[in-house]
């Protein structure tokens, strides 16, 4: 065995101790070094240990928080297709309420020898979570890429939409339609994408409408990223006199529309609604939803590209690839109710003290 270690070490250009760590699946070895040792095994005609042979089979794990929200199956489809084109086999692992946690799914995938893991909207997006879990994964020599979320504590490539710019697009669109009391419905504040959306919303409200932070913050409502969450948030925002609501997901936006109807309001005649994601089939809702399109195709392909570079021994830098979203205008937004009233009566639409208060 000593001679074998020496041969492998000489071929790979590393120490025998490093070869031993790789063969025994020990942490503390760089991905590029690990790859060199595996290549040396192949060149010298040695069989890889079972665990390492499994990892070379081309399995890549994809962990999502759920599949109820259509945006996650959309990511899974794009990522799965991109991996398949490169000769890898995607393994989808989904968390379920009361079921497996992200850590348990990660352990399951590592035990099956996946070549790498992609996380979509995982614990890396939760500022209250312990980021050491990702460092432990890196120490095991498993490459990974994180989508939708960012932490300076994690040394890995991140892929995200520009949440701040997204809110700027939504507020600018609604302000042009005459809306001033624009609400924001989103998930718990501990999530990085939520924090970024708040920052973008407050900035846009000030720049587009002259609404200072204290007034704009009163129009922000936290809930859950679900239809029911959007419905609950809408009830509070409608009570505060909002004539438009920007949502952090299309599912929340559908909940806002449901709440509006329960309050005897018509969308978009009485209240405008903007979603986020542009999930599949969202263009066919009643009314078709105006939304911010998350660039799923570009993000998914970039994430796969970064992961394959990591697997190939060329680690991507600890950086975040940020993709610009797109405003898709459909039937759920229209001019503010007051604007339509003035248009019908021929009343002046601007100027004066009244104009500034509207």
């Amino acid at each position: 065995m000593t001679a074998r270690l020496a041969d492998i070490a000489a071929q790979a250009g590393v120490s025998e101790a490093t070869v031993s760590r790789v063969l025994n699946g020990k942490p503390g070895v760089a991905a590029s070094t690990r790859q060199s040792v595996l290549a040396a095994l192949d060149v010298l005609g040695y069989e890889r240990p079972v665990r390492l042979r499994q990892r070379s089979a081309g399995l890549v794990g994809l962990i999502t928080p759920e599949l109820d929200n259509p945006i996650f199956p959309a990511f899974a489809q794009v990522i799965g297709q991109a991996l398949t084109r490169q000769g890898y086999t995607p393994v989808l692992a989904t968390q379920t309420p009361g079921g497996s946690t992200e850590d348990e799914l990660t352990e399951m995938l590592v035990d099956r020898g996946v070549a790498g893991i992609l996380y979509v909207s995982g614990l890396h997006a939760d500022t209250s979570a312990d980021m050491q879990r990702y460092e432990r994964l890196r120490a095991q020599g498993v490459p990974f890429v994180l989508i939708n979320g960012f932490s300076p504590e994690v040394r890995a490539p991140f892929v995200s939409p520009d949440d701040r710019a997204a809110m700027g697009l939504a507020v600018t669109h609604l302000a042009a339609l005459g809306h001033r009391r624009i609400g924001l419905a989103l998930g718990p504040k501990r999530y990085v994408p939520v924090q970024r959306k708040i920052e973008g919303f407050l900035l846009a409200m000030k720049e587009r409408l002259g609404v200072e932070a204290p007034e704009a913050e009163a129009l922000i409502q936290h809930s859950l990223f679900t239809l029911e969450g959007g419905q609950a948030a809408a009830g509070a925002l409608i009570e505060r006199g909002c004539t438009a609501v920007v949502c952090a997901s299309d599912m929340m936006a559908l909940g806002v529309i449901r709440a509006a109807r329960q309050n005897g309001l018509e969308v978009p005649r009485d209240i405008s609604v903007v979603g986020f994601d542009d999930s599949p089939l969202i263009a066919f809702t009643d009314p078709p939803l105006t939304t911010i399109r998350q660039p799923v195709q570009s993000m998914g392909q970039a994430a796969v590209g970064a992961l394959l570079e990591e697997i190939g021994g060329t680690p991507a830098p600890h950086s975040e690839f940020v993709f610009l979203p797109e405003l898709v205008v459909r039937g759920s937004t229209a001019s503010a109710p007051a604007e339509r009233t003035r248009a019908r009566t021929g009343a002046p639409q601007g100027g004066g003290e009244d104009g500034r208060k509207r």
Side-chain angles (χ1 to χ4, degrees), residues 266-344:
E266 184 178 326
V267 178
R269 187 191 67 189
D270 303 307
I271 186 169
S272 290
V273 181
V274 178
F276 184 90
D277 284 334
D278 196 27
S279 310
L281 302 181
I282 210 68
F284 304 101
T285 57
D286 181 23
L289 187 66
T290 294
T291 189
I292 302 296
R293 176 177 293 159
Q294 190 172 178
V296 173
Q297 187 78 28
S298 300
M299 290 172 61
Q301 291 175 348
V304 169
L307 182 66
L308 296 187
E309 286 186 2
E310 294 262 335
I311 293 173
T314 308
H318 173 215
S319 59
E320 185 176 25
F321 302 92
V322 179
F323 290 79
L324 289 176
E326 176 188 355
L327 174 69
V328 182
V329 179
R330 298 193 181 103
S332 66
T333 52
S335 57
E339 292 293 318
R340 285 193 293 276
T341 299
R342 284 194 295 273
R344 287 196 299 269

Side-chain angles (χ1 to χ4, degrees), residues 101-245:
T101 65
E102 180 180 307
D103 291 336
E104 290 168 343
L105 293 174
T106 297
E107 183 179 358
M108 177 269 291
L109 290 170
V110 172
D111 286 344
R112 281 158 178 74
V114 293
I117 301 177
L118 291 150
Y119 294 86
V120 181
S121 300
L123 290 171
H124 63 279
D126 188 341
T127 58
S128 68
D130 180 8
M131 296 299 153
Q132 287 301 308
R133 55 175 41 88
Y134 298 110
E135 286 305 301
R136 290 191 291 270
L137 180 61
R138 176 171 291 281
Q140 292 178 276
V142 181
F144 59 93
V145 173
L146 305 154
I147 301 172
N148 273 346
F150 180 78
S151 172
E153 302 174 29
V154 181
R155 294 175 297 153
F158 290 83
V159 177
S160 302
D162 191 332
D163 291 296
R164 299 181 184 92
M167 294 300 99
L169 290 172
V171 171
T172 298
H173 170 61
L174 293 170
L177 292 172
H179 295 275
R180 177 178 174 83
R181 292 193 67 78
I182 301 172
L184 176 61
L186 29 65
K189 194 173 183 179
R190 68 179 186 273
Y191 293 110
V192 172
V194 169
Q195 295 172 4
R196 290 175 169 179
K197 285 182 174 70
I198 291 173
E199 292 171 7
F201 177 76
L202 295 177
L203 180 61
M205 290 291 283
K206 182 176 181 179
E207 291 184 345
R208 303 293 184 270
L209 294 169
V211 178
E212 296 295 334
E215 183 181 350
E217 286 172 353
L219 302 177
I220 297 174
Q221 186 65 37
H222 294 278
S223 187
L224 300 175
F225 289 108
T226 61
L227 189 148
E228 292 78 13
Q231 188 174 348
L237 294 173
I238 290 172
E239 287 183 0
R240 296 172 202 167
C242 292
T243 62
V245 178

